Amino acid sequence: YRLTSHLALAYVLYAGLALYGWNVLRSNRLARGKLPNPDHLRALLLSRDIRMFRRKIAASALLVGTTCLSGAMVAGLDAGLLYNEFPMMGTGITPPLSELWHEFYARGNPSNMWRNFTENPTLVQLEHRVLAMTTFFVLSVMWWRGRGLQLPQGSRVALHAMYALATLQVALGVTTLVNGVPIANASAHQANSVLLLASALRLYHTLRPLARI
């Protein structure tokens, strides 16, 4: 729990600083007249399609962050050392229910069976797998839909970067798992998660309404 809380605070701090910094840079460019066609860009960012897409990207960024935090649970429990295969987990897509939902983690109190969600390494790994593939699917859909929208150049670059980093993140996650979680792979997987979150936040920021100065 402490490891996940520590990572969550780090992500919140990083996201806050990044969004604030991007706001300052964009406002500075706008004030100095270095932002091309600001009136056209302002109107574009206020269009209905862009506003709806921005909300979906914000939700996608939240999903990315949630998946990253589930990865911290995997790391804290050494859950990656179990079931070093993909997409199977043993003889099936999921382990037996008796292994996923075990009274051991209730610590003698049947009302505490919910602890399986956060303390059972097998279930925690399955949760991370489901979240990871769901996140990749959502980001893929956002990339596909974004390609068909009239996006500013900066947004289009961030969109492609987000999809490329999402693909790399899945590849790093799978290779880390099937190779028994070597430190180098796990570190690259963790580092890339920060870049993926940053790309989603950057895309969201480029779609925010342009202030009038």
Side-chain angles (χ1 to χ4, degrees):
Y1 296 111
R2 285 175 290 184
L3 176 65
T4 304
S5 299
H6 182 58
L7 184 65
L9 289 174
Y11 277 137
V12 170
L13 179 62
Y14 175 81
L17 290 173
L19 290 172
Y20 178 77
W22 289 327
N23 273 333
V24 171
L25 291 174
R26 186 162 78 161
S27 297
N28 181 265
R29 290 185 65 201
L30 181 61
R32 297 172 63 185
K34 292 189 175 183
L35 203 62
N37 300 319
D39 292 333
H40 172 73
L41 178 60
R42 187 175 290 110
L44 176 62
L45 295 177
L46 290 175
S47 66
R48 180 176 179 274
D49 288 343
I50 296 299
R51 285 188 287 112
M52 290 182 63
F53 188 65
R54 182 175 67 244
R55 295 190 190 102
K56 292 175 181 177
I57 291 300
S60 299
L62 183 61
L63 180 59
V64 170
T66 302
T67 304
C68 291
L69 295 183
S70 78
M73 297 294 292
V74 171
L77 293 171
D78 288 329
L81 299 178
L82 304 173
Y83 294 107
N84 299 115
E85 54 202 339
F86 188 87
M88 307 298 284
M89 294 184 75
T91 59
I93 295 296
T94 65
L97 180 60
S98 59
E99 189 174 341
L100 291 172
W101 198 253
H102 200 281
E103 61 184 11
F104 171 79
Y105 300 98
R107 302 177 184 177
N109 186 349
S111 65
N112 286 336
M113 287 295 286
W114 61 267
R115 290 183 181 274
N116 277 274
F117 288 111
T118 57
E119 297 181 12
N120 183 337
T122 303
L123 183 54
V124 168
Q125 188 192 124
L126 178 61
E127 290 166 359
H128 188 58
R129 288 184 183 219
V130 172
L131 276 171
M133 299 315 299
T134 301
T135 302
F136 181 67
F137 174 76
V138 169
L139 295 184
S140 298
V141 171
M142 291 298 99
W143 174 75
W144 183 260
R145 290 185 175 178
R147 291 170 68 246
L149 294 177
Q150 184 184 356
L151 297 177
Q153 181 61 28
S155 302
R156 195 163 295 278
V157 171
L159 177 69
H160 293 315
M162 182 184 71
Y163 181 64
L165 289 167
T167 304
L168 177 59
Q169 185 68 356
V170 171
L172 286 171
V174 173
T175 55
T176 298
L177 180 68
V178 300
N179 285 290
V181 196
I183 296 298
N185 293 50
S187 299
H189 186 52
Q190 175 65 50
N192 193 69
S193 72
V194 179
L195 297 179
L196 176 56
L197 180 60
S199 67
L201 291 173
R202 177 59 178 167
L203 176 56
Y204 167 76
H205 181 268
T206 61
L207 297 172
R208 293 183 67 182
L210 192 62
R212 292 186 179 275
I213 297 179

